[in-house]
Amino acid sequence: MALNVPGLVVMAAFYLLILGTGIWASMRSKKEEKKCTGDGMEITLLAGRNINLLVGIFTLTATWVGGGFILGIAEATYNPTLGAVWALMPVPYVLTFFLGGFFFAKPMRENKYVTMMDPFQQKYGNVLATALILPALVADVLWVARTLVSLGGTMSVILDLSYVYSIIISSVVAIIYTLLGGLYSVAYTDVIQLILIFVSLWVCVPFMLTNPHSVDISLTAYNQTFQAPWVGTVELDEAGKWFDDFMLLALGGLAYQAFYQRILSASSYTQAQVTCFASSAFCLVLGIPSVLIGAVAASTDWNSTAYGLPTPYERDQAGSILPIALQYLTPTYVSIIGIGAVAAAVMSSMDSALLSSASLFSSNIYKNMIRKQASDREMQWVIRISVVVVGLAGTALTFLDSSVLVFWLVGVDMSYTIMFPQLVCILFFKVSNGYGATVGYMMGIIMRILSGEPLINLPPAIQFPGCRLDEEGKLTQFFPFRTTIMVISLLSILLFSWLTSIIFNKGLLSEKWDVFKIKRKQRSTATAADVKRTNEEASQAKQLLDTTSC
């Protein structure tokens, strides 16, 4: 196969469009910075907490609808051992956004946090907060990797462009425009990218459904043809694993800094809620084309195509089924349009991950711990360097594994089992303290490692009920073990927080052993509450006197 020159021209035009939008947005960011009285770091990371509603909806949706989303859904639908019922991403995301809008947005906005790690740093101190930041940073780096993997595989299939070159070019472009304008650049390029994703995918679908090499997908949905039915099944002994994956995707997303970056950039709580609810609908609509493409691929006689036999699944290329289907089941110009959708999706998620990790490092580590007196100019450079470092780290990881689902699930897994219970406790349970958080953190990490992970060939030391070999011969946990670990971690945080609170408040241990100073913090909190109550009573008394004098 020769290099696809027309496709390269189209991709070059796309990248120039995105880069131009990013440069324009960076200029807008500088204008806002001159007008705004707030600090430059808040403008860069949160767009001055005044992002447009429509832009906010687009950027939140585009953050979730990335390359992993598009390719992962198609991969699961096509995979004969899974099927569409295992292509879970769109539906759990509805739950993510509704829970985020109803419950998590309010406490984060009321306290005017800059990142999701601010409450940890304020309550637990810098040492424990740093340990908690690490899983969030690793999850963002894996997010960068999985988005680049999806684009590299697509370009190598459709354009016959080297996998390495594809990844490097895309990484450089995303890093450049993220460096230029922060959240402004990311948000406004997301608008262009989401429009391209929507139009490109839906343009490709009719050509896929009417190609001569595939059987009507309504006939293959529940009937064995070239492979198992593409709808798939969830057997009773697999229900635990299906539930676990669903909860992982639904709740794991609530522990991502990228989500709160969009929520905190809104001008009001109501706008943040509307942004969440509208984005959930967009995610559902944008998930449909990938399901249809995966279904068509599962209904195709590959022997009648130029691809030939063995099938993509037998060649271990299920992760690239979307670009393969576009290449061999649609006209060339349509496949080029399709790669535009994937490229747009990749860029929209990658820039979010870059800025998310830069936010955590620059605000919570550098500004709050290393250089508290750092100037705005210095912080701008710290943010830029962080973006470059995370981009390079994520790019390097793409050469270790070519499966989109591996990076997707491992990254979300860390957010779900480790970070989500910590976030719930710090926001909604006043009893939580550093001791409980430490125990919960260690419990989550140790139990997750001992539970194993077939995606990275880590055998389980703890075998939950139902643990057995899957259809690919890998020892797999079919019990909802990740949800179990999350619940155990959450309960551990609350239990040990309550116990240590009693121990120090009752004087069972000397206050000198109170490393996290929970007794002192409780006293200062009580004092602050008394002062507030006294002020309120004085204000009420003054109002009463004024009324009486009248």
Side-chain angles (χ1 to χ4, degrees):
M1 181 179 171
L3 190 65
N4 189 334
V5 177
L8 281 176
V9 172
V10 172
M11 289 307 299
F14 164 73
Y15 280 139
L16 288 173
L17 173 63
I18 294 301
L19 197 55
T21 305
I23 293 171
W24 171 82
S26 69
M27 294 168 63
R28 177 185 171 89
S29 173
K30 289 176 182 176
K31 290 180 181 178
E32 290 294 326
E33 192 169 345
K34 290 178 182 178
K35 291 189 294 183
C36 186
T37 56
D39 61 71
M41 188 175 73
E42 191 168 291
I43 293 172
T44 301
L45 300 181
L46 299 177
R49 299 185 191 269
N50 193 33
I51 200 95
N52 178 274
L53 174 60
L54 189 60
V55 174
I57 293 170
F58 272 73
T59 188
L60 181 57
T61 306
T63 299
W64 257 245
V65 181
F69 180 92
I70 291 174
L71 270 72
I73 291 173
E75 177 183 352
T77 304
Y78 165 72
N79 192 320
T81 65
L82 298 174
V85 293
W86 293 89
L88 295 169
M89 288 83 160
V91 180
Y93 287 170
V94 174
L95 183 59
T96 300
F97 291 136
F98 269 83
L99 288 175
F102 277 121
F103 300 106
F104 288 81
K106 190 173 183 179
M108 296 296 285
R109 288 191 57 81
E110 282 181 345
N111 292 284
K112 294 185 178 180
Y113 295 131
V114 176
T115 75
M116 74 171 189
M117 299 307 300
D118 286 353
F120 295 99
Q121 206 155 28
Q122 291 176 14
K123 189 169 186 179
Y124 299 158
N126 289 333
V127 176
L128 182 53
T130 302
L132 292 169
I133 287 171
L134 289 177
L137 287 174
V138 171
D140 280 336
V141 173
L142 291 174
W143 192 356
V144 171
R146 72 175 179 249
T147 54
L148 286 175
V149 163
S150 60
L151 183 58
T154 304
M155 282 191 169
S156 61
V157 169
I158 295 179
L159 302 182
D160 198 31
L161 184 66
S162 166
Y163 179 84
V164 175
Y165 292 153
S166 304
I167 285 176
I168 291 175
I169 293 169
S170 304
S171 178
V172 168
V173 172
I175 289 172
I176 288 174
Y177 73 72
T178 306
L179 283 175
L180 290 173
L183 187 58
Y184 270 112
S185 288
V186 170
Y188 281 95
T189 53
D190 280 348
V191 173
I192 304 296
Q193 289 155 354
L194 195 65
I195 292 171
L196 286 172
I197 294 168
F198 182 84
V199 173
S200 301
L201 284 177
W202 282 106
V203 165
C204 294
V205 166
F207 291 92
M208 292 288 296
L209 292 173
T210 56
N211 86 87
H213 305 289
S214 305
V215 178
D216 187 339
I217 62 172
S218 64
L219 301 176
T220 58
Y222 299 100
N223 300 305
Q224 178 86 25
T225 48
F226 306 109
Q227 63 175 57
W230 61 264
V231 169
T233 57
V234 180
E235 302 296 337
L236 186 61
D237 58 356
E238 297 175 324
K241 187 176 186 301
W242 186 92
F243 174 77
D244 206 28
D245 288 349
F246 185 95
M247 297 303 292
L248 169 78
L249 294 169
L251 303 182
L254 289 169
Y256 269 104
Q257 161 62 13
F259 174 76
Y260 296 100
Q261 201 153 28
R262 273 77 190 155
I263 295 303
L264 294 170
S265 66
S267 59
S268 67
Y269 173 53
T270 302
Q271 181 179 322
Q273 282 191 312
V274 172
T275 299
C276 289
F277 302 153
S279 297
S280 65
F282 274 111
C283 282
L284 282 176
V285 173
L286 290 165
I288 296 172
S290 291
V291 173
L292 294 175
I293 292 171
V296 170
S299 309
T300 297
D301 178 10
W302 290 100
N303 193 35
S304 67
T305 69
Y307 185 87
L309 294 176
T311 66
Y313 177 74
E314 291 167 341
R315 296 187 197 186
D316 199 26
Q317 292 185 327
S320 299
I321 192 59
L322 188 142
I324 290 172
L326 289 172
Q327 176 67 19
Y328 293 98
L329 302 179
T330 65
T332 303
Y333 67 91
V334 176
S335 65
I336 293 172
I337 293 172
I339 195 178
V342 177
V346 166
M347 305 290 273
S348 67
S349 283
M350 182 179 173
D351 54 22
S352 299
L354 290 174
L355 194 61
S356 169
S357 50
S359 305
L360 294 174
F361 178 79
S362 59
S363 179
N364 295 106
I365 296 179
Y366 192 86
K367 178 73 173 176
N368 292 348
M369 294 170 57
I370 300 174
R371 286 265 298 169
K372 293 183 178 180
Q373 72 277 22
S375 65
D376 278 351
R377 183 178 178 81
E378 182 179 343
M379 290 309 304
Q380 294 296 323
W381 279 106
V382 172
I383 292 169
R384 289 169 186 152
I385 293 169
S386 303
V387 167
V388 173
V389 171
V390 173
L392 293 176
T395 303
L397 281 176
T398 58
F399 304 112
L400 299 179
D401 198 289
S402 61
S403 174
V404 176
L405 286 175
V406 170
F407 290 117
W408 182 291
L409 290 174
V410 172
V412 181
D413 200 320
M414 293 184 67
S415 297
Y416 181 49
T417 56
I418 299 171
M419 287 307 303
F420 178 72
Q422 296 283 352
L423 195 62
V424 169
C425 290
I426 194 90
L427 292 179
F428 303 109
F429 294 94
K430 291 183 179 180
V431 71
S432 64
N433 58 43
Y435 301 104
T438 303
V439 174
Y441 182 73
M442 297 305 297
M443 289 282 286
I445 291 177
I446 293 171
M447 288 193 67
R448 185 62 194 91
I449 293 173
L450 294 179
S451 298
E453 180 50 67
L455 289 173
I456 56 175
N457 298 313
L458 180 66
I462 301 175
Q463 295 189 15
F464 289 88
C467 183
R468 63 182 186 278
L469 295 175
D470 62 11
E471 294 185 21
E472 296 179 351
K474 296 179 179 179
L475 194 60
T476 304
Q477 307 273 14
F478 284 85
F479 186 80
F481 72 103
R482 287 172 297 203
T483 301
T484 302
I485 293 170
M486 183 274 291
V487 172
I488 290 174
S489 177
L490 190 147
L491 293 176
S492 298
I493 296 169
L494 297 178
L495 176 62
F496 282 90
S497 294
W498 176 70
L499 287 175
T500 51
S501 179
I502 289 176
I503 288 171
F504 287 111
N505 286 330
K506 297 287 186 182
L508 300 178
L509 268 181
S510 172
E511 196 171 334
K512 67 179 181 180
W513 297 103
D514 188 3
V515 178
F516 289 105
K517 313 297 180 187
I518 59 173
K519 190 172 182 179
R520 185 183 304 172
K521 288 176 182 177
Q522 286 174 350
R523 280 202 299 262
S524 62
T525 302
T527 302
D530 290 339
V531 170
K532 183 179 179 181
R533 187 165 50 252
T534 302
N535 290 336
E536 288 175 351
E537 290 173 353
S539 176
Q540 290 173 357
K542 185 177 182 299
Q543 289 177 358
L544 183 62
L545 287 171
D546 291 342
T547 305
T548 306
S549 62
C550 291

